[in-house]
Structures are given as C-alpha cells and as structure tokens.
Amino acid sequence: MPCVLTVAGSDSGGGAGIQADLKTMLALGVHGMSVVTAVTAQNSLGVQGAWELPVEAVRAQYRSVVDDIGVQAVKTGMLSSAELVEAVAELIAGTDAPAVVDPVGVSKHGDALLAASALDSVRTKLLPAATVATPNLDEVAQITGLRVESEREMRGAAAAVLEYGPRWVLIKGGHLPGDAVDLLTDGSEEHWLRAPRHDNRHTHGTGCTLASAIASGLAKGRSVPEAVVEAKEYVTGAVAAGFALGGGIGPVDHGWRFRTDV
C-alpha cells in the first residue's frame, strides 16, 4: 500500500489539518502517516488557541517515519514560523518523493496560522521544494502581493507563484463567484478544472483535503494532472456532502463515497 506523510497542524474539531489529511488518505486507499507541527484548540467557530511544536520534535517525527517506513508522497500544511518552514523545507527537499505544499496562511474562519515573518521562508525555501503548490487566492495575495478578482487574472497569479520554484502550481479559485474553477500549470501546459458550486456553507477542511488527495494520487503513481483531476472530483463530492457540526462552519465529508444512507 502506498504511504503518504502529512506534515501539518492538529485540528481538535477534526475538520481540517492532520485529522482531515488522514481521513482523506484512508478514503483514497493509501496509508496515512503524520508529523504534527502544531496543536490547535479549534472548533466550528474558529481557532481559540495554537501551540507550535519545537523544531526538534518535528524533525524527529519526520525522520522516525521516513527512515523506517518510507514514503511515496509528502504533504505539508500548517507551518507557523520561519524556523519550522525552513526545517520542513530541508526535510522534504532531501526526501525522494513528490511533495504537495499547501501554503496555509489563514483558517477557514480567518484566523492567522502563519507568522508574517515566515513568508519569505515560504517563498525562498518551501516553494522551491514543492512538486505541486496549492495556494488559494488569499494565499496567492500573501505570497505574491497579487489580488485575483477574476478568472482571467489566475494565469498571472500562477506565473508569479511559479517564479518561486515549484514544478507545478494549482491556483484555487474557489473564492471567486460562479463555478469552482482552479488552474493547474507548470508554466507550459495548462489545465482548467471546473466544478459546480454547491450551496453548502459547511466547507471546513477543503484545502487540506484537496492537497492530501493530490498527494494520495501521486503516491499511487499518477501524473500531476491525473492526481489533481482525481482530487478535484473527490473534494467536490466531499463539499457537496459537507455537514453541520457545532454552531459554526461544519466540515466536508471525507467518507462521502462510502455513505449508504444518502
């Protein structure tokens, strides 16, 4: 069974972060493993607190898994400080496996998950180590300074992110009105991915889930375009089946393909 390693923060509410990553990997038939970078107190209403783990603890978790079990793909999520970003970038650059970098900047509720001082490390250390980078439009603005307000501006955003060195970039256009449109490109070939927008506010964990689904496809030997297309299909179904949880924004349904009661 292919093995995928997520390097990300823990979401105590189970909708995003490590928890969403492992659920996605299980649903897609790979063995999920984890390196916890931070612990958050988080629920459907937002993030009430976050505590970063020491770099030595993150590095020890990574080496423990990779040196014994091995990995066919790595996915990164919440890396809150420059020190963590640089340590993880070094680890994945030295690992012979594709890396999906989700440059998490803020939570679904608008809570900051990345220190402003870490942005330069994301640009110069983490993105160059990425096989695929998956920024949403807010993260594109953080990284490049470009504000994307229409579909036609996504191509320029992709070019700006590619300048930092990832092999591929997936610009996620979910914050734009209309269909959910994403652009995948390596600077030469382009793939526009469209899906209907579902009238469902319960979308917590969408970005984590998509990046983990892409990593799962790459671990199975899919090409980047094939893995992204399959991941987009999976996430679209998960969003459509997203459910209420608590008093705020509920999670996407990672097990939607297995439901027999819907």
Side-chain angles (χ1 to χ4, degrees):
M1 182 181 293
C3 295
V4 182
L5 177 63
T6 170
V7 184
S10 168
D11 174 0
S12 56
I18 289 283
Q19 288 79 358
D21 296 339
L22 294 176
K23 292 174 188 176
T24 299
M25 293 168 192
L26 177 64
L28 296 179
V30 300
H31 176 65
M33 307 174 295
S34 62
V35 171
V36 179
T37 61
V39 175
T40 69
Q42 188 173 169
N43 55 28
S44 69
L45 300 173
V47 179
Q48 292 77 46
W51 299 267
E52 180 182 307
L53 267 68
V55 167
E56 57 266 30
V58 171
R59 187 177 285 114
Q61 291 176 80
Y62 191 100
R63 291 263 61 94
S64 178
V65 171
V66 173
D67 293 347
D68 172 43
I69 301 171
V71 290
Q72 279 69 59
V74 180
K75 175 261 178 188
T76 72
M78 178 185 176
L79 306 173
S80 51
S81 68
E83 189 179 19
L84 265 182
V85 168
E86 292 177 12
V88 171
E90 180 182 359
L91 287 166
I92 64 175
T95 302
D96 186 19
V100 180
V101 170
D102 186 14
V104 176
V106 297
S107 74
K108 176 67 67 176
H109 305 87
D111 303 288
L113 299 176
L114 178 72
S117 58
L119 276 172
D120 191 55
S121 296
V122 170
R123 298 182 188 107
T124 62
K125 304 292 186 182
L126 189 60
L127 288 176
T131 305
V132 189
T134 63
N136 63 28
L137 299 187
D138 288 338
E139 291 155 356
V140 166
Q142 276 189 313
I143 294 166
T144 69
L146 295 176
R147 291 282 177 188
V148 176
E149 297 179 348
S150 67
E151 185 178 318
R152 63 181 177 81
E153 293 174 334
M154 292 173 66
R155 185 176 283 114
V161 176
L162 285 171
E163 286 290 323
Y164 294 110
R167 285 174 49 198
W168 291 82
V169 62
L170 178 68
I171 303 295
K172 299 181 295 191
H175 293 171
L176 295 175
D179 287 347
V181 179
D182 304 328
L183 170 60
L184 173 70
T185 180
D186 64 353
S188 57
E189 61 178 280
E190 286 186 351
H191 303 268
W192 290 88
L193 296 88
R194 299 179 183 274
R197 184 176 300 277
H198 295 284
D199 185 18
N200 187 356
R201 66 190 291 262
H202 302 301
T203 58
H204 186 47
T206 307
C208 306
T209 300
L210 179 63
S212 293
I214 295 170
S216 297
L218 294 177
K220 295 175 183 177
R222 309 283 196 265
S223 68
V224 170
E226 288 170 342
V228 172
V229 167
E230 291 180 2
K232 173 82 168 179
E233 179 186 1
Y234 171 73
V235 170
T236 300
V239 169
F243 55 93
L245 195 70
I249 299 173
V252 301
D253 185 354
H254 299 94
W256 66 273
R257 286 177 169 166
F258 309 114
R259 300 287 180 236
T260 58
D261 55 348
V262 294

